[in-house]
Amino acid sequence: MATIEAAGLAIEFPLYHHNARSLKQRILASSGLRLKQDADNRVVVAALRDLSFSIGKGERVALVGPNGAGKTTLLRTIAGVYEPVAGMLRVEGEIGSLIDPAAGMDSLLTGRENVVLRALFRGMTEAEGRALADEVAGFAGLGDFLDVPTRGYSAGMNVRLAFAMATAMSPNILLMDEWFLAGDADFMKRAEERLAQLVTGADILMIATHDMTVVRKWCTRAIRLEGGRIVADGPVEDVIEADRA
Amino acid sequence: MLNTARPTHGFDAANPRRRERALEDLAGGLARWRLAWALARSDITHRYRGSILGPMWLTLSTAVMLGALGFLYAKLFRIDMTDYLPWLTVSLIVWNVLNQVVSDASGSLTGAEGVIRQMPLPYSVHAMRVVMRNALIAAHNLPLIAVVFMIFGVAPSWYALLAIPGFLLMAVAGFAAALFLGMACARFRDIPPIIGSVMQVAFFVSAVIWKPEMVGHWQPYLPINPVFALMEAVRAPLMGSPGGITVWLAAIFWTGVMVVIAWAFFVRFRGRIAFWV
């Protein structure tokens, strides 16, 4: 059973390590939209404001919206990186995260060693990691490159490896940022098959993207974020059409 | 089916359950000791990647330092070399362990920024990584003690086994320091240089290069200094004496203080770490 529920969720990034006073005067005077002062007089960026939604099993959700709308922050919050300053978040199901392909990777280790390292990150043992590496090898299609340090990989190869790793752990909830579109046509076809397989049953896919063809093809629901708020939430066509109108 | 990392997680700002979450973090971190070990090992191998001697440089640079300081200070203090050099060897190696733990502790979280902001992971893993990395470095330097003892004909004593609880105290204090200093240094970027200068002073006031008996009637007060207490709990046994009861009590006391402070801050501010790094 995979579910994601949020009520009144808010994330604020304090701006530390700056000259707070001059920054305050300069920015608060001008915009005042997303930058504000919190109770302790700090300048904070309100990254997500009062989000409430509920995502159930089998839903494939596209997060759309302009740059800086809070899409990646929302993905990271759901992954459990940031603790909300207000509101409630509840996530049930194992999370596979494809937010940054380089996360937790060591570019001096080979692809295979990186898979084992990732397995350790997930709390598995080395033996389980090596078993996983064989599984990943089959899907990533990197051939001999799997035993080459990843610093010698192209961007696309990194994406293949990251995607294969994240999906091989059979997550219930897959969080994805749009960088994975860097794969070639052959890989994209296989990725699509794999996602289709993954999302049947009790699983959730959540993807942040600007590419409307991806949204139309893969998703059943779209959430439009703007300035850290949800401005539209519903079936893909409704949300996208509302935008065009 | 692969075992799950964190099948369910939730957060309610109205009821943050900070203490339970901090406990879960520690338990999750300890359960991932394999990860901390793998990261600590790669820290060492990456640092010496492509070098011929590799991690043996750790041993060699300590040996060079010992040779130079040993001759100079034996002369300066007018002490017998055969008496002084074995003592200095133990002293410097133990000091190096402690000093390195403190300076690594300040960067325990800022150094892991890339991981912290990308994936959820118990923060205690990063503290454990610091302790394990330094245990590995210490393992490269400790054999030097045996070599010097052999050259100068110092017979090891059974008291040396007491160094094990001494090292354990240091590891616990180091773990706590890595959490506390790691957080403090992530939030306030002026703290690492402050720690650096404090440790520089500590080197001279903590009886690293001079023997404790040289301060005469001040000697009983030396354990007030936590650095001295923790060092002496390892150094005295290695030098063949059990170490006084005050030294052990002080070492345990200071470790306890460190743990309590670290725990209080960890419970309160754990959730903010991702925003600080």
Side-chain angles (χ1 to χ4, degrees):
Chain A
M1 250 322 257
T3 53
I4 305 174
E5 266 176 78
L9 180 73
I11 294 277
E12 288 174 358
F13 287 101
L15 295 177
Y16 298 114
H17 318 310
H18 292 280
N19 184 347
R21 190 169 291 168
S22 69
L23 189 76
K24 233 179 242 182
Q25 286 166 351
R26 196 159 354 122
I27 316 180
L28 290 178
S30 58
S31 78
L33 282 171
R34 290 184 78 188
L35 288 151
K36 55 178 197 178
Q37 266 174 297
D38 72 356
D40 297 332
N41 262 346
R42 288 175 305 199
V43 179
V44 296
V45 181
L48 298 177
R49 295 187 280 191
D50 196 23
L51 302 191
S52 298
F53 55 85
S54 164
I55 299 170
K57 61 175 182 176
E59 285 201 88
R60 280 168 282 170
V61 182
L63 285 176
V64 293
N67 284 336
K71 301 186 294 289
T72 306
T73 304
L74 179 56
L75 288 181
R76 285 193 188 151
T77 307
I78 292 172
V81 171
Y82 297 128
E83 273 186 12
V85 286
M88 184 278 291
L89 172 71
R90 190 172 162 72
V91 181
E92 268 175 53
E94 200 193 339
I95 296 168
S97 121
L98 282 162
I99 300 173
D100 179 350
M105 294 255 244
D106 185 335
S107 64
L108 296 176
L109 297 181
T110 67
R112 191 180 297 275
E113 287 165 335
N114 265 306
V115 179
V116 177
L117 185 66
R118 175 63 59 93
L120 293 175
F121 269 111
R122 303 293 299 243
M124 297 189 247
T125 63
E126 276 99 344
E128 287 172 307
R130 278 189 291 273
L132 188 71
D134 292 332
E135 209 177 310
V136 168
F139 181 77
L142 290 171
D144 294 338
F145 270 97
L146 196 66
D147 293 302
V148 169
T150 54
R151 67 197 315 228
Y153 283 22
S154 69
M157 287 159 88
N158 265 317
V159 168
R160 280 172 176 240
L161 182 64
F163 184 87
M165 272 199 291
T167 52
M169 303 201 192
S170 45
N172 306 117
I173 298 172
L174 190 61
L175 305 172
M176 215 185 311
D177 216 335
E178 62 179 341
W179 52 261
F180 80 96
L181 299 168
D184 58 23
D186 163 57
F187 178 74
M188 288 306 287
K189 200 165 137 266
R190 282 194 294 162
E192 206 176 317
E193 280 164 19
R194 185 135 186 176
L195 282 180
Q197 218 173 42
L198 203 71
V199 181
T200 52
D203 294 322
I204 293 176
L205 169 71
M206 213 169 175
I207 174 169
T209 182
H210 296 284
D211 187 339
M212 291 308 151
T213 48
V214 169
V215 176
R216 284 209 184 80
K217 201 153 76 180
W218 291 7
C219 299
T220 57
R221 172 177 170 186
I223 295 178
R224 171 173 292 277
L225 286 174
E226 246 164 59
R229 293 184 200 279
I230 295 180
V231 291
D233 180 0
V236 166
E237 285 310 318
D238 293 3
V239 172
I240 295 178
E241 293 311 318
D243 179 49
R244 201 170 290 157
Chain B
M1 189 62 205
L2 301 159
N3 58 355
T4 53
R6 207 203 252 178
T8 298
H9 82 97
F11 185 83
D12 187 352
N15 172 28
R17 299 187 306 119
R18 291 204 179 96
R19 193 180 304 272
E20 289 152 68
R21 295 169 79 83
L23 273 175
E24 280 166 26
D25 186 302
L26 283 185
L30 289 176
R32 279 186 182 64
W33 62 270
R34 287 189 185 84
L35 172 65
W37 177 248
L39 291 174
R41 227 178 29 194
S42 71
D43 283 341
I44 306 273
T45 50
H46 286 3
R47 195 181 303 169
Y48 295 97
R49 196 172 58 100
S51 108
I52 295 166
L53 285 181
M56 290 311 287
W57 276 114
L58 292 169
T59 319
L60 204 69
S61 58
T62 312
V64 170
M65 168 109 167
L66 277 173
L69 281 190
F71 282 101
L72 178 66
Y73 283 101
K75 192 88 186 155
L76 279 180
F77 293 141
R78 303 211 173 89
I79 334 176
D80 184 19
M81 181 85 163
T82 51
D83 184 41
Y84 182 64
L85 199 67
W87 185 86
L88 183 73
T89 307
V90 175
S91 204
L92 265 186
I93 286 175
V94 175
W95 162 260
N96 276 344
V97 174
L98 200 135
N99 186 34
Q100 194 62 45
V101 169
V102 172
S103 80
D104 281 10
S106 351
S108 68
L109 295 172
T110 40
E113 179 192 5
V115 175
I116 288 175
R117 301 203 335 174
Q118 297 299 347
M119 55 171 84
L121 192 71
Y123 294 114
S124 45
V125 167
H126 307 300
M128 220 160 28
R129 174 186 190 173
V130 166
V131 173
M132 286 178 168
R133 176 166 66 220
N134 282 286
L136 275 173
I137 297 175
H140 279 92
N141 284 329
L142 289 174
L144 268 182
I145 295 179
V147 172
V148 173
F149 276 22
M150 253 189 310
I151 294 173
F152 289 90
V154 181
S157 95
W158 283 109
Y159 284 129
L161 290 178
L162 272 178
I164 295 169
F167 271 122
L168 281 179
L169 275 179
M170 216 186 249
V172 172
F175 179 78
L179 282 182
F180 171 62
L181 294 180
M183 283 193 292
C185 295
R187 175 65 187 85
F188 300 103
R189 302 299 167 105
D190 291 304
I191 292 183
I194 295 175
I195 292 173
S197 39
V198 167
M199 289 311 280
Q200 225 158 31
V201 175
F203 176 74
F204 291 104
V205 302
S206 307
V208 181
I209 44 176
W210 44 272
K211 293 193 168 187
E213 52 266 29
M214 288 177 175
V215 286
H217 61 280
W218 283 7
Q219 197 185 344
Y221 301 108
L222 283 176
I224 293 174
N225 172 359
V227 174
F228 175 81
L230 280 167
M231 262 185 68
E232 191 66 6
V234 175
R235 183 173 57 190
L238 287 178
M239 287 310 295
S241 90
I245 184 81
T246 37
V247 165
W248 281 98
L249 285 179
I252 292 169
F253 171 77
W254 284 119
T255 305
V257 168
M258 204 59 228
V259 167
V260 169
I261 294 177
W263 176 248
F265 273 79
F266 192 55
V267 168
R268 176 62 189 82
F269 295 110
R270 204 188 65 89
R272 305 298 303 159
I273 293 173
F275 297 99
W276 287 348
V277 293

